[in-house]
Every structure is written in C-alpha cells, then in structure tokens.
Amino acid sequence: MNMQKLIYFLLLLPFFADSQNDIRLFVFGNSLINHTFEVQPPTPSQETSVPHWFQILSEAGGHQFAVDGQFGFLPQHRNVPPIPNWGFDIVRGVWDADLIPFSAADFNTILLTPANFIQWQVPSENFPGESFSPIEATQEVFQWCADQEEDMTFYIYENWADMAPYLSNGFPPTAQEWSTYNQYVQGEFKDWFADYHEAVATQFPDNSVCLIPVGTTISRLLQTVPFNQIPIDELYQDDAPHGLSTIYFLAAMITYSAIHQEPAPRTLEIDPIVHQTVRDNYAAVVDFIWETLLNATDDSGANTALCASRIIDDINDLETETVDIQFQNPVRDVIELTTDLSFTTARIYDLHGRVCHATANVKDETMTIDCSNLPAGWYVLSLQDAEGRLLGERQFVRQ
C-alpha cells in the first residue's frame, strides 16, 4: 500500500470500526434522490436530497452514515465502475476514486433507482435502441457490486412517477389531475416496480435485494388528512416532478426506516424548511411509514422492503428438518404456537440476529409465547430439537 492510500485508510479507520448497523452507501441515482439543478426557491444547503436528511435522521437515531453516488440513468449506470460525482455538505464520503478502487472502499449498501418515465413498457423489454432491458441493466450493476464486495445489501428505490402526462395546462395539477396521477402511482406504476424488483432479486439468492416503496408511500400519505390539505406547489416545483424539501425529507424517512429496519427517530428536531403540516404531525408520519413498510409484502407474504440478510448465521448453519409451524400472523401480544413435531427450544430473533426471546425444555407441540414486550417489527421464530437441530423457522410481524 502506498503512502497516499495508507493515509486515506487511516483517516477512515475510525468510521470503518463502527458497529455493523452503520451504513456505507453507494447510490446509483438521479434527481429524485438528489435534486441539484435550479432548485426554486433556493435552499440553505442540500435539503432537496435524500442523503442530506438521511444524515440528520442517522444522527438522531445514533447511527453512522457515509455516502457517495453517481448521477445518471440505467444505461449510464450500467457502465461500471461508477464515477462518484456526488458530494454532500453535511455527509462524509466513503470513496476517493483517485486513491483506491471501489472494492477497497468497504461499501455495505447499494441504492439504485431507474428513471420515472420508462414505465410505459414492461421492465423486461429492452430500452428503445438498446440491447438490454431495465432488469438486465440493474442485474449487471448489482452483480458488478457483488463481485467487488461480499455481503452487500441491495435496495431499489421506488421513486415517484413523471407527472407531465397527467397535466393538460401545466403545473400544478388540478384536483382531478392530482387524483388521477396518484391512482397511477399506486396502481400500474407500483406494479411495474414490483415486477422489476422480483425479476432482479431472483438473480441474487445469496444477497438481500429489497424494494423501498418511496413513491407509493408518499402518494398515500399525501392523500390522507391533514396532509391532503397541503398545496401541491408547496411540495413539488415542477411536473418532473422534482420535489421541494418536504418531499425529500419524507423520502429520506422512508429510506432510513427501510435500511435500518426501524421507525424514524421520534426525538428528531425538524428543520423549519419542512412543511409545517408535516412538522406538526411528525409522529403520525413516523407511524404511517413504519406500518407501510411492515405491510410491504409480495404474493407469498414475504416482506419486500425490510431485508432479512442480517438474521443470525447460526440459524442457517444448523441441520434443518421440515416442521409445520402454525400461528396467527401478524402477531399482537402472544403467539399461540402449534407444530406437527415436538420441539425443545424456541427462539425469537430480530432482523439483526439478536435473540429477543428464548424458551428451552419444551416437551410438546403447542406453546404460548408472550410477545407483548417486543417492539413492532419483523422477527424470526426458530424451533430446535434436543440435539440442536433446526426443525423450522418462520418470519412474522409484531404489530
């Protein structure tokens, strides 16, 4: 290692030594993650970016955060290695591309978003004039990243749709245009991202690939009281639609909660640049977002927004047998458990692999487990026999 690289490594060493829950993020993004062009009205810093607010949320939540990113669309992002051309006033970077390769930067999280105007055709169809589709381009980017660094967690950032096709007389939309637009975001647009995510994720069975429902969550929130009273031109500035500070704040809350698998910190002191209605109802926004993420499931019932990649490795290392585990899911205060085999030990893990509950010396096929002390969230119930063999496991959500 030459002297420049050594100095760079030593400068970042305290950050790399932080806990496993800290985020070192690379973003393959566009202006729906970081809006830097002709922001009107101008903001004091980078309040029209997700990383800006993610940093503020991380500080309040007790997490470390660092980020680099590249602006572009999927055809450009496909040309790896990326060029880190984003930097942020209040967020530290991870990677000095002039000194070290991507593989030495120790990223642990990748966030990617496609354009919001390509959903007129299915994600498996090639871009016009190209020989690859959005799915293939994304898989290529993720595969390159996975080859550079082990144990990557991948997130697809579901943005919000282009508004221009729904406006007959320009921005802002009429009430009817706004309603029609949101129907599309929560319908066909959401379905496009679901198909896109499912196809991308199938190629990475050893990595978590999750879909953060940013656009649909914001759309639903803004159609509920009191947020439906906010004028649209106090949230967005054009028909792209680029958001104002409040939209990127909401997007960061959703992204933070998905990546950290926890609600946004309730103790946050919110900058007055965020719309007063959101500031005055911040606790309700936190709950709305968290409930949305807990209920973000596919047709099989698996959660698509909260990655389960950090579940303790001991579960997967055990010899596995098949057992039918039955209980009501979601769970409120207790699990009324019934199985078709007797078991000895029951453990509940959170999605970071921490044991939240353990009961041993069970000699029956039924059991009641008290979950009243568990915070709301996703968990894994693991059953083992007297020899320590894994009989089965099941994910569940505690409401």
Side-chain angles (χ1 to χ4, degrees):
M1 179 181 292
N2 63 35
M3 184 58 65
Q4 278 187 316
K5 290 183 180 179
L6 178 60
I7 293 171
Y8 183 73
F9 176 79
L10 292 174
L11 287 173
L12 290 182
L13 186 59
F15 178 68
F16 290 159
D18 285 325
S19 75
Q20 64 177 349
N21 297 328
D22 296 335
I23 300 302
R24 297 182 296 279
L25 175 68
F26 192 87
V27 181
F28 295 87
N30 56 42
S31 58
L32 299 190
I33 293 178
N34 180 24
H35 176 34
T36 60
F37 306 106
E38 299 179 6
V39 180
Q40 295 295 331
T43 59
S45 181
Q46 292 157 314
E47 287 83 359
T48 54
S49 80
V50 169
H52 175 92
W53 295 112
F54 199 110
Q55 171 66 26
I56 291 171
L57 290 161
S58 296
E59 291 175 356
H63 299 289
Q64 294 286 339
F65 176 55
V67 62
D68 289 297
Q70 171 180 272
F71 177 87
F73 299 104
L74 283 175
Q76 293 81 49
H77 292 319
R78 179 172 172 264
N79 295 321
V80 290
I83 299 173
N85 51 22
W86 278 354
F88 300 92
D89 293 344
I90 66 170
V91 194
R92 82 177 102 186
V94 179
W95 179 29
D96 188 331
D98 293 330
L99 295 180
I100 61 174
F102 185 95
S103 59
D106 202 24
F107 288 104
N108 58 21
T109 307
I110 300 295
L111 181 69
L112 179 146
T113 193
N116 69 339
F117 47 80
I118 62 174
Q119 286 72 29
W120 56 274
Q121 62 181 24
V122 296
S124 58
E125 192 166 331
N126 287 349
F127 286 102
E130 301 285 1
S131 60
F132 55 88
S133 69
I135 290 171
E136 292 167 333
T138 303
Q139 289 174 334
E140 289 179 28
V141 173
F142 283 2
Q143 186 61 62
W144 183 86
C145 293
D147 291 341
Q148 305 303 306
E149 182 72 47
E150 294 182 355
D151 301 323
M152 281 280 194
T153 301
F154 298 99
Y155 291 93
I156 293 171
Y157 176 99
E158 177 213 81
N159 49 50
W160 48 93
D162 183 12
M163 193 183 292
Y166 298 89
L167 308 183
S168 58
N169 293 302
F171 183 85
T174 66
Q176 182 57 54
E177 289 170 341
W178 176 243
S179 176
T180 303
Y181 170 76
N182 283 290
Q183 289 175 16
Y184 169 68
V185 171
Q186 297 173 38
E188 295 177 29
F189 189 76
K190 177 182 179 181
D191 293 342
W192 188 95
F193 268 93
D195 293 341
Y196 167 64
H197 165 252
E198 181 180 11
V200 171
T202 56
Q203 186 170 316
F204 300 94
D206 297 328
N207 294 84
S208 290
V209 180
C210 287
L211 174 65
I212 306 178
V214 176
T216 49
T217 303
I218 291 175
S219 174
R220 289 179 54 242
L221 177 72
L222 296 180
Q223 291 189 297
T224 64
V225 177
F227 310 103
N228 61 353
Q229 303 302 309
I230 304 175
I232 305 305
D233 57 4
E234 294 181 18
L235 296 167
Y236 301 93
Q237 78 168 58
D238 55 33
D239 61 9
H242 294 109
L244 299 176
S245 299
T246 299
I247 290 297
Y248 290 91
F249 174 71
L250 294 172
M253 287 181 65
I254 299 162
T255 305
Y256 172 96
S257 293
I259 290 179
H260 279 298
Q261 302 180 89
E262 65 185 29
R266 298 178 186 277
T267 57
L268 181 69
E269 294 185 10
I270 307 172
D271 193 305
I273 200 170
V274 175
H275 198 279
Q276 184 174 349
T277 302
V278 173
R279 299 200 316 270
D280 291 346
N281 296 276
Y282 174 68
V285 176
V286 172
D287 292 340
F288 184 94
I289 290 171
W290 186 238
E291 182 178 358
T292 298
L293 295 179
L294 290 177
N295 289 289
T297 56
D298 59 20
D299 293 339
S300 70
N303 192 285
T304 55
L306 301 173
C307 284
S309 62
R310 298 170 183 168
I311 296 174
I312 194 165
D313 292 335
D314 291 349
I315 294 178
N316 297 322
D317 291 339
L318 296 171
E319 182 181 352
T320 304
E321 294 184 3
T322 301
V323 61
D324 184 27
I325 304 174
Q326 298 290 334
F327 58 88
Q328 186 71 33
N329 187 16
V331 170
R332 294 197 179 275
D333 292 325
V334 297
I335 293 176
E336 299 287 351
L337 174 65
T338 302
T339 71
D340 57 354
L341 289 174
S342 60
F343 59 95
T344 301
T345 303
R347 290 189 178 93
I348 295 176
Y349 298 87
D350 66 15
L351 293 189
H352 298 290
R354 296 173 295 217
V355 177
C356 303
H357 176 92
T359 302
N361 301 318
V362 181
K363 298 180 180 180
D364 204 345
E365 293 85 32
T366 62
M367 183 181 183
T368 299
I369 302 176
D370 183 6
C371 296
S372 59
N373 291 327
L374 293 180
W378 276 82
Y379 297 88
V380 173
L381 173 66
S382 168
L383 302 182
Q384 300 171 22
D385 66 12
E387 284 72 43
R389 292 177 298 183
L390 179 66
L391 298 176
E393 63 186 33
R394 182 178 174 190
Q395 290 192 34
F396 69 91
V397 61
R398 160 80 165 98
Q399 287 188 338

